[in-house]
Amino acid sequence: MKRNIRTAVVTAGALIAALGLPTGAAQADTPAQRTDLRVLVVTDGGPTTAAIAAELDSAGTPYTEVDLTRAGRPQIDTAFLADTVDGRPRARYQAVVLPNDNPFPAGSAEMAALTAYERTYGIPQVDAYTYSRPQVGLQYFASGGYAGSLDGVRAGVTPAGLGGPFGYLDGAVPFEDNAPAIGESYAYLAQPAPGADFTTYVDAPIPGTPRRGSLVGEYRHDGRRELVVTFVYNRYQQQFRLLARGIVEWMTGGVHLGAARNYFAVHVDDVFAADDRWDSVLNCTPGDVDCANGAGTPNPIRMTGQDAAYAADWQSARGLTLDMVYNGAGSLDQREDNNGADGLADVLLAQRDRFRWVNHTYTHAYLGCEQDVSAVPWKCATTPAGATKWVSRTAIGDEIALNRVWGHSAGLPLHDDELVTGEHSGTKLLPQQPQDNPNLGPALADNGVKWLASDNSRDPEQRLVGPAATVARYPINVFYNAGRAVEQTDEYNWIYTRRSQGGSGICEDHADTTTCLPAPLDTATGYAAHIVPQEVRTTLGHVLSNDPKPHFIHQSNLAEERIAYPVLNGVLDGYGALFADNTPVENPRMKDIGVELQRRAAWKDAVRAGRVTAYRIGDTATVEAPNGLATPATLPAGTRQGAAAFGTPYAGRVSGWTAAAGTPIALTLPTSAAAATAGTGDRSGVAATAPGTLPAPRTHVPDGVRERSSTAPRG
């Protein structure tokens, strides 16, 4: 069967002048080269090439990986790298990433082939991690340079870097120091070698000297360009996350498939309702299912009108819109108990248009199986025959519809196709409920729900529940049952300390997902000194990872001592100190995040299945993909789609999704961008010899720290 293919075209002129070809008739007989929009990643199993591959994968940039440690891998030779298509010379990769400047044995034919390829076709090479010496354009690190830890060091982007591939940063590149007893960031620092054509993009102070040494720089030699990186990293470390975009921009010249942005959306659950409070004596939450047999007296936490006004003013000052995930019955209960008064609702509804609103069901009822709370932990109730008792389709539908009606009656600007169920209930929850409530999907269909929130800590991948696609949310580890710092810290100690230290031992029982504290935190200082920095670091890591998934807190965290704000401010302040104004944090609503996740999944499936072909001839790039598939691209500012500008500005480029309905899409690059990225190959066909260099020494890098989430993540 003939496959339905559409073609997207990014136009521009020939590369002949940039390639140094002769003029006149000879030039007319020489077709401009075709360069496929795909990256070659050669790995030795180390963390640095894995980090770059993860960055490409996250953005949706096609790449081919060759693992040097695997038997039967393809040999990198001329045929692997280049050929001729339709009479035109083709470079099959727009960039090459190596684990270091030469990962092959001395005299390797593969390195010789790569060298010749890069020179002939003007293909840049990234040395993911190597050490400083003249072979990479730097002085020996032993001659006035440095080799050792950079933990806690404040590196910086040079003027050349800010004017080049790292112009989206504000200048500072702080290196993490999360575990003082563990070396996390080994590096070599040195200045350019005498006579070398080397431009430093990122540097750091050389200890004991007034000089600075290169960490990332461009070395031009023998008709080739290398990006020389002299520090080790993994995909989770902040210093890599800050520089990853620039590494990709450098290797692709800012013209590549895929797109990446920094996202931060915050959902505030249980708005209008009240949340039960942690009891530091009983070590449970009276009124909730973790207190056996109804022990304790509930002492709920609920925002006031002053808290609502503070939230509105805070988000305006910070340029971030909060998503208020509301339960309408909470206001009804408040008015019934207070002679019709509800100061919180009065303020929020008067300022309703300053927030976004999401349906959280009317009463926050549990919508999965019927819960048997006679013991802790609770279990699903069963029939005499042993079948699970499920909350009915009608009951689920009523919770959705009543809250929607209440919201519209209150004038909330709702999107009726979004839903967050109470505690993400209805969807599977291990160990008690290993499957979705079979009545949930039909109830969602009855109410037109297309986007359903899930908890990323237990259900991270987007999937369908009936007609609705899930949107996983990150739980910020500020607990729903805490309105004061001392309560948060006490519960944190209970969860994350050993039984021998007075804790629950949960961290011991679940060592695969949690890490025990070495000692209980001081309840007077532990929140500000430990919990806030931990949550800021984790949350900012998500923001810097091209991850659009929203985070969620609870209305209780905006009440009383308003303990969520130190975390939110820490994320935004940290971000603002790192990024230039041209790279703002994106703040999408839930349904837009769902669409983004769907597009990414469809695009990655098509790329992995080999159903996408993309290449560039001069300033013309062509993308062939299944008809209707949304295609992500990042291109230079000034690129046009017909008479209109392509994409939207971000980080000094323009990026966006584009799709065609059977007709070509023409995207025209600005002339200056075409010249800058056209390549510098000499086309001489002269064989090159591999440089006599040694690979960088292997250095241990700690694995990424596993994230922790509350054992009581209630939504």
Side-chain angles (χ1 to χ4, degrees), residues 359-378:
N359 189 342
H360 197 29
T361 72
Y362 192 54
T363 69
H364 200 284
Y366 192 83
L367 303 181
C369 62
E370 295 183 14
Q371 292 178 294
D372 178 353
V373 298
S374 60
V376 176
W378 63 270

Side-chain angles (χ1 to χ4, degrees), residues 146 148-155 175-176 185-187 189 204-205 215 231:
Y146 171 77
S149 173
L150 282 192
D151 292 6
V153 169
R154 187 178 178 88
F175 275 58
E176 292 181 329
S185 304
Y186 196 90
L189 296 173
L215 286 168
F231 71 96

Side-chain angles (χ1 to χ4, degrees), residues 509-523:
D509 299 340
H510 301 279
D512 57 330
T513 57
T514 61
T515 301
C516 291
L517 292 167
L521 302 175
D522 185 327
T523 54

Side-chain angles (χ1 to χ4, degrees), residues 377-403:
W378 63 270
K379 59 184 178 180
C380 287
T382 58
T383 66
T388 299
K389 291 183 177 180
W390 298 103
V391 174
S392 71
R393 175 176 178 175
T394 298
I396 296 172
D398 287 347
E399 280 287 324
I400 299 169
L402 284 172
N403 206 47

Side-chain angles (χ1 to χ4, degrees), residues 150-168:
L150 282 192
D151 292 6
V153 169
R154 187 178 178 88
V157 183
T158 67
L162 291 173
F166 300 100
Y168 56 91

Side-chain angles (χ1 to χ4, degrees), residues 58 176 235-238 241 261-265 456-457 472-477 534-552 567 571 575 579 585-586 600 705-709:
S58 172
E176 292 181 329
R235 62 182 292 188
Y236 303 101
Q237 290 177 301
Q238 180 175 279
R241 295 263 29 104
R261 298 196 174 199
N262 299 330
Y263 300 88
F264 190 37
N456 191 78
S457 64
R473 306 188 303 166
Y474 286 112
I476 292 180
N477 224 13
Q534 171 77 29
E535 293 311 303
V536 168
R537 183 164 57 247
T538 298
T539 304
L540 185 57
H542 299 153
V543 174
L544 302 185
S545 298
N546 186 31
D547 190 342
K549 294 176 183 176
H551 294 75
F552 70 95
V567 175
V571 173
Y575 186 89
F579 288 88
V585 68
E586 299 277 296
R600 291 187 186 191
V705 176
R706 197 182 308 240
E707 292 178 16
R708 298 180 296 184
S709 61

